[in-house]
Amino acid sequence: YLSDAERSFITGNNENAESYADKAIAYRKKYDLKQSTKEDRLFLNIKQAIYNSVISDGKTFASKGRYQDALDKFDRATTIQSEFGIRKNLKLNTYISSAAENLVLDIIANGRSKVKVNDLQKARQLYNEAKIISEKYSVENNPKVYQARTDLKK
């Protein structure tokens, strides 16, 4: 499995490399084999590459206005960051805040359009969705988000 992981990683197929590395580690644990520094280094290199890739994907989604997709990618990066000893992207929290702010503002704009056509039930639903997202990503005190939510609530 380790050789397959290394080959996949070298060719840039990080998802396959991760799968093979996971199998190698599971095999090692199952048969109580000695831990390998080479194996661990390869696994961390694979995780680092995947981490960098999902952040890049998230930035691409955000630049195209696909903020929920961006947040999904950033959430995956956050999980990888917290579980493994990899080099952290110091701008990740900024990317998350920006995507969350833009998503909440889009949802609120959609809510305002629902108010204009008197679809108050849908407007309330969108308000609640915006509230949940803003709290999850800690942007509820962002001045733009706070003002937009307050305006929609009225």
Side-chain angles (χ1 to χ4, degrees), residues 7-30:
R7 256 191 310 279
S8 293
F9 180 63
I10 289 169
T11 61
N13 192 341
N14 296 330
E15 299 297 329
N16 273 355
E18 180 182 37
S19 175
Y20 285 125
D22 286 340
K23 288 176 185 175
I25 289 170
Y27 184 85
R28 178 182 71 192
K29 288 179 182 176
K30 181 178 179 181

Side-chain angles (χ1 to χ4, degrees), residues 47-66:
K47 287 295 184 182
Q48 184 72 54
I50 290 170
Y51 173 79
N52 294 340
S53 176
V54 296
I55 290 174
S56 178
D57 292 347
K59 289 169 53 180
T60 299
F61 282 135
S63 72
K64 294 178 179 179
R66 295 175 55 189

